[in-house]
Amino acid sequence: MRHIKLRDLEVSRIGLGAMGMCHGYTDSGTDEAESVRTLHRALELGVTFIDTAEIYGPYANEGLLGRALKGRREQVVPATKFGLVSHAGAGVWHLDSGPANIRTAVEGSLTRLGTDHIDLYYQHRVDLDIPIEETVGALAELVAAGKVRAIGLSEAGPDTIRRAHAVHPVTAVQSEYSLWTRDPEARVLPLLRELNIGFVPFAPLGQGFLTGTIRSPTPSRRATSGTATRASPARTSGATSVSPTRSRPSPRRRTPPRPRSPWPGSSPRATTSPPSRAPSGSTASRRTPPPTPSG
């Protein structure tokens, strides 16, 4: 397994997102024993970078990782996220990146993961009610205390990234990115190169669309994240099925557009050198995001 650097944090080039083991893609239920076997097999294959978040479950996914990785901590670079659970009373799916909430969140994550430090701690979504400088200041205190090794942002735009990085070095930015979700290319990726910040794409296979797993836009957690919308016939050049490997052309189907550039390398989970063109940059929304199975 190849390893790369997210700033100063060394990780396997392919990582494992554990979210779907108990949150998001769980329409058919969950199987903890199978999830544990999957995690152990990933470690055997050389994967070290494993991603979770307190909102997944909520809390259940971090607990699963803590049980599965007991006695194997030295093999793993765990990443988790805060900010979509307000511990002051508002509860789950409420943005809260205030310093007090971060201090509460990190203690819970440390306990569930069964570790004394988190290697990469992301703000899950930008909280426009809390200045990013306050959020990163609180994270810097956790780094100084040894509870967090490195900090990250998820789905943040260029201005937020630059302001955060001015307070404390940002190690990685995580955003949705694949052959059909190219938003970071125009503005975010060039900035990350400039600041030497790593990039971690989530949903690199379009949450199943690019593998042919999704055959119809059925209601599910994928629908809440926009996958079903992007997989509609109108978005797939007139195909009568949303499966790219099983579609038949409609009578007036046009030739689909050619991808502008290939995927950056054979292992897309974590990279600091992706292509740099896309139709638009990332933006953040003030409203509380709905439950989403990605990132």
Side-chain angles (χ1 to χ4, degrees):
M1 176 68 66
R2 292 177 58 195
H3 283 217
I4 63 163
K5 288 286 189 73
L6 298 173
R7 200 168 186 87
D8 296 323
L9 189 66
E10 183 173 318
V11 299
S12 57
R13 188 170 174 88
I14 296 177
L16 176 62
M19 179 198 69
M21 294 177 179
C22 56
H23 172 89
Y25 308 138
T26 55
D27 298 352
S28 300
T30 62
D31 185 337
E32 178 161 327
E34 180 65 19
S35 296
V36 171
R37 286 192 293 271
T38 300
L39 287 161
H40 290 174
R41 180 57 176 156
L43 297 182
E44 291 171 3
L45 294 172
V47 173
T48 65
F49 194 31
I50 299 181
D51 180 274
T52 183
E54 67 170 356
I55 193 64
Y56 299 160
Y59 313 126
N61 201 239
E62 288 183 327
L64 168 65
L65 262 62
R67 293 187 294 274
L69 302 176
K70 187 175 182 179
R72 301 169 184 253
R73 178 63 177 88
E74 71 284 353
Q75 297 177 251
V76 184
V77 180
T80 191
K81 312 177 196 74
F82 70 90
L84 289 183
V85 179
S86 176
H87 296 277
V92 300
W93 299 114
H94 285 83
L95 292 170
D96 191 343
S97 286
N101 196 64
I102 294 172
R103 289 190 287 269
T104 300
V106 74
E107 295 299 335
S109 292
L110 288 169
T111 298
R112 289 185 291 272
L113 290 168
T115 184
D116 62 356
H117 70 279
I118 295 166
D119 288 288
L120 180 57
Y121 201 36
Y122 291 103
Q123 181 191 40
H124 208 152
R125 291 294 184 270
V126 175
D127 182 353
L128 297 182
D129 291 329
I130 306 293
I132 192 63
E133 290 82 1
E134 289 187 24
T135 296
V136 176
L139 292 172
E141 292 177 1
L142 296 181
V143 173
K147 295 182 179 183
V148 170
R149 283 185 61 195
I151 68 173
L153 304 173
S154 183
E155 294 281 32
D159 180 62
T160 298
I161 296 168
R162 193 178 288 279
R163 288 167 54 201
H165 192 72
V167 176
H168 185 279
V170 175
T171 290
V173 170
Q174 180 191 71
S175 293
E176 183 171 4
Y177 185 49
S178 70
L179 289 174
W180 72 337
T181 303
R182 323 279 300 226
D183 296 342
E185 291 183 356
R187 301 172 60 214
V188 171
L189 297 185
L191 177 62
L192 300 188
R193 291 193 189 97
E194 174 191 334
L195 300 179
N196 188 30
I197 298 173
F199 182 70
V200 180
F202 68 76
L205 297 177
Q207 301 176 51
F209 175 78
L210 296 177
T211 66
T213 301
I214 300 176
R215 302 186 65 181
S216 63
T218 55
S220 70
R221 290 287 189 177
R222 287 184 174 91
T224 67
S225 69
T227 303
T229 301
R230 293 197 301 275
S232 67
R235 296 295 299 271
T236 54
S237 303
T240 56
S241 164
V242 297
S243 168
T245 60
R246 299 179 179 89
S247 61
R248 293 182 299 169
S250 66
R252 296 186 180 183
R253 181 179 181 181
R254 297 179 180 179
T255 302
R258 185 177 63 182
R260 282 175 288 181
S261 60
W263 185 264
S266 59
S267 305
R269 181 63 186 146
T271 178
T272 56
S273 57
S276 59
R277 303 199 316 274
S280 63
S282 298
T283 58
S285 172
R286 180 178 293 275
R287 65 184 177 82
T288 301
T292 172
S294 49

